[in-house]
C-alpha cells in the first residue's frame, strides 16, 4: 500500500482535524539544537516563519512537548499539516466503505480497515514528503514559502533524512503486510509513481497528473483489501474521478508559488492553465462528480450516496471555484485545505449507502 502526499506549505501547524485554520498572531520561536549542525559552514536557521505568514498557526500540544532534536523530523514529515494525510486517506475510505456495502460486510470490517489505512496514510504521506524534499531541497531554498523546510535550510542533512525515510518505509511495510497478498502486490506496484512525482515538476507542466496517479492508489487498494481482486468496474471510475479531483485541488495549491516557480524553473498546471484555471478546473470537477456517480452506479449504491456524496461534492467544488482568488496565497491555501471537508462529505455518502444496504442486516 503506497501512500504519498502532495507537497504542502512549510510548517503550518495546521488544523486540529481537517479544517484549515486562520492565521494566528502568536508563535513560539524555536532555537535549533547545535548538535544537528556539526559543520560550522552550515547556517543555522533560528526561528520559524514570521507570525505574519498566513500559513503559520499555533504549535500543537505534541510539538510543544517534543524533544528539540526531534522537531525537525516532525516538520520534515509534515505532521503539523495533516491536510495531505486527509487527501491521501479519503479515496481509501471511499473504496473500503463502498466495497463493504457491496459485499455486505459486518461493521467491524470497514471500521478495522479504515483505521488501518488511516495509520498507513499518516506514515506514508510523511515518507512521500521526505522523498519530495530530498529531490527539491535546492529548489525549496529559492522559494519564499519553502526556504525554511528542514532539508532546504540545512537543519536536517540528506543522510539523516534517508535514515528517517527508512524508518517510515519500514512502518509502511508493516501496515501493508496486514493485507492480503493481492493487495500487497498491488500496493507495491505504485512505487515507481512515488519516486517519479518529484522529478516531474522539472520536466513537464503536468506534475499534478503524476501526483494524482500516485496519490489515489488507495481507491484501488481499499476495495482489494476487502475483496480481491477488486471490482474493476467500480474502482477504475473511482480512481479516475479521484485523479481529476487531485488536479483541481493541487492546481489551486500550486497557484501559491507560481511567481517563485518561474524563477526556480519549476513547472505546474497553475502556470500551464494561467488565467484559464477556473474554467479548466470546472471541467475536471465535473468529471470527478460524474465518475464518482459512475462508480456508485457500478457498485449498485443507494440513493443517499448520490444525494450526499455526489451532490455534496458538486456543491463544494462549485463553492471553491466560484470564490477562489488565484492571486491570493491565503485564499488558495484556504480553498486547498477545504478539500479535506469535501472528502469527508463523499465518505458520508458512502457511509449512508452502507447504512441503507447493510444496516437492516446488522439490526436484524
Amino acid at each position: 500500500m503506497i501512500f504519498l502526499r502532495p507537497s504542502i506549505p512549510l510548517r503550518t501547524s495546521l488544523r486540529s482535524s481537517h479544517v484549515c485554520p486562520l492565521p494566528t498572531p502568536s508563535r513560539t520561536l524555536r532555537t535549533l539544537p547545535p548538535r544537528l549542525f556539526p559543520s560550522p559552514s552550515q547556517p543555522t536557521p533560528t526561528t520559524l516563519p514570521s507570525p505574519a505568514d498566513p500559513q503559520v498557526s499555533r504549535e500543537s500540544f505534541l510539538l510543544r512537548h517534543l524533544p528539540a532534536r526531534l522537531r525537525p523530523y516532525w516538520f520534515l514529515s509534515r505532521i503539523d499539516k495533516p491536510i495531505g494525510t486527509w487527501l491521501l486517506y479519503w479515496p481509501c475510505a471511499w473504496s473500503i466503505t463502498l466495497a463493504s456495502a457491496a459485499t455486505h460486510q459486518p461493521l467491524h470490517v470497514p471500521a478495522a480497515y479504515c483505521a488501518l489505512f488511516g495509520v498507513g496514510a499518516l506514515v506514508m504521506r510523511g515518507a512521500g514528503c521526505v522523498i519530495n524534499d530530498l529531490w527539491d531541497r535546492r529548489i525549496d531554498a529559492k522559494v519564499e514559502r519553502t526556504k525554511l523546510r528542514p532539508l532546504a535550510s540545512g537543519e536536517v542533512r540528506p543522510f539523516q533524512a534517508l535514515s528517517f525515510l527508512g524508518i517510515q518505509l519500514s512502518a509502511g511495510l508493516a501496515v501493508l503486510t496486514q493485507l492480503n497478498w493481492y493487495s500487497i502486490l498491488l500496493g507495491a506496484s505504485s512505487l515507481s509513481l512515488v519516486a517519479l512525482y518529484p522529478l516531474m515538476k522539472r520536466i513537464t507542466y503536468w506534475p499534478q497528473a503524476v501526483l494524482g496517479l500516485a496519490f489515489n492508489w488507495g481507491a484501488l487498494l481499499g476495495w482489494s483489501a476487502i475483496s480481491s481482486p477488486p471490482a474493476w468496474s467500480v474502482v477504475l471510475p473511482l480512481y479516475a474521478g479521484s485523479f481529476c479531483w487531485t488536479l483541481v485541488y493541487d492546481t489551486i495549491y500550486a497557484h501559491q508559488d507560481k511567481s517563485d516557480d518561474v524563477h526556480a524553473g519549476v513547472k505546474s498546471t497553475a502556470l500551464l492553465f494561467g488565467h484559464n484555471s477556473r474554467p479548466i478546473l470546472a471541467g475536471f470537477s465535473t468529471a470527478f462528480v460524474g465518475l464518482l456517480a459512475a462508480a456508485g452506479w457500478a457498485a449498485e449504491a443507494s440513493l443517499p450516496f448520490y444525494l450526499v456524496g455526489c451532490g455534496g461534492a458538486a456543491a463544494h467544488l462549485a463553492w471553491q471555484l466560484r470564490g477562489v482568488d488565484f492571486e491570493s496565497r491565503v485564499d488558495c491555501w484556504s480553498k486547498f485545505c477545504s478539500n479535506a471537508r469535501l472528502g469527508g462529505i463523499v465518505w458520508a455518502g458512502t457511509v449512508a449507502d452502507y447504512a441503507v444496504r447493510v444496516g437492516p442486516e446488522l439490526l436484524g
Side-chain angles (χ1 to χ4, degrees):
M1 175 173 50
I2 300 302
F3 296 92
L4 181 63
R5 131 86 220 29
S7 182
I8 297 182
L10 170 65
R11 295 191 181 141
T12 14
S13 183
L14 171 80
R15 4 174 165 91
S16 59
S17 63
H18 52 270
V19 178
C20 182
L22 293 174
T24 55
S26 62
R27 177 74 165 173
T28 304
L29 297 182
R30 177 168 58 87
T31 302
L32 302 176
R35 60 177 171 274
L36 287 175
F37 302 91
S39 169
S41 63
Q42 287 183 314
T44 303
T46 56
T47 64
L48 291 173
S50 163
D53 188 330
Q55 296 172 12
V56 173
S57 57
R58 289 190 185 90
E59 291 181 346
S60 69
F61 174 84
L62 288 176
L63 180 58
R64 289 197 300 270
H65 292 82
L66 194 68
R69 66 191 181 93
L70 297 181
R71 291 182 184 180
Y73 301 96
W74 173 282
F75 291 114
L76 183 60
S77 57
R78 313 283 205 281
I79 298 176
D80 57 317
K81 298 181 294 296
I83 177 61
T85 301
W86 282 114
L87 295 175
L88 179 60
Y89 174 70
W90 285 129
C92 307
W94 304 342
S95 187
I96 289 169
T97 312
L98 278 174
S100 298
T103 58
H104 293 259
Q105 298 290 334
L107 182 60
H108 72 272
V109 172
Y113 278 106
C114 282
L116 182 66
F117 274 65
V119 173
L122 176 65
V123 171
M124 293 307 297
R125 180 270 181 139
C129 290
V130 176
I131 294 171
N132 184 79
D133 287 6
L134 281 166
W135 275 98
D136 288 353
R137 61 188 185 276
R138 292 182 179 87
I139 293 176
D140 286 344
K142 301 176 184 179
V143 177
E144 182 65 27
R145 182 180 58 84
T146 60
K147 66 183 182 181
L148 291 182
R149 284 179 174 172
L151 277 163
S153 66
E155 188 175 350
V156 173
R157 298 188 303 279
F159 177 78
Q160 293 172 310
L162 285 170
S163 300
F164 182 50
L165 178 61
I167 296 172
Q168 292 173 302
L169 292 177
S170 298
L173 179 62
V175 173
L176 187 60
T177 55
Q178 304 307 305
L179 307 180
N180 56 60
W181 275 106
Y182 188 97
S183 299
I184 292 172
L185 295 174
L186 181 62
S189 66
S190 65
L191 281 172
S192 59
L193 294 172
V194 176
L196 280 176
Y197 164 66
L199 178 63
M200 289 299 103
K201 66 186 73 174
R202 295 164 171 80
I203 62 177
T204 178
Y205 282 99
W206 289 92
Q208 281 72 25
V210 181
L211 177 67
L213 293 174
F215 217 62
N216 296 293
W217 207 255
L220 309 177
L221 201 55
W223 192 295
S224 175
I226 299 295
S227 175
S228 61
W232 295 107
S233 62
V234 179
V235 298
L236 286 180
L238 184 64
Y239 178 63
S242 301
F243 169 85
C244 293
W245 179 45
T246 299
L247 286 175
V248 174
Y249 65 66
D250 208 57
T251 298
I252 293 174
Y253 173 85
H255 269 279
Q256 296 177 102
D257 299 327
K258 56 191 174 186
S259 58
D260 288 327
D261 286 349
V262 170
H263 295 99
V266 173
K267 300 176 175 66
S268 72
T269 49
L271 294 176
L272 178 64
F273 299 161
H275 296 299
N276 295 315
S277 291
R278 203 179 308 273
I280 292 173
L281 296 186
F284 282 120
S285 298
T286 302
F288 166 55
V289 175
L291 288 164
L292 185 64
W297 181 267
E300 300 181 353
S302 57
L303 184 61
F305 172 79
Y306 301 100
L307 293 178
V308 179
C310 299
H316 196 285
L317 286 165
W319 167 78
Q320 283 188 62
L321 295 179
R322 181 178 180 181
V324 64
D325 180 358
F326 290 113
E327 303 306 317
S328 168
R329 175 176 293 183
V330 176
D331 195 52
C332 286
W333 176 244
S334 176
K335 294 298 189 298
F336 168 74
C337 292
S338 74
N339 282 278
R341 296 194 293 273
L342 186 153
I345 291 169
V346 175
W347 185 61
T350 66
V351 171
D353 171 58
Y354 177 86
V356 168
R357 292 204 276 173
V358 185
E361 298 175 14
L362 299 178
L363 296 175

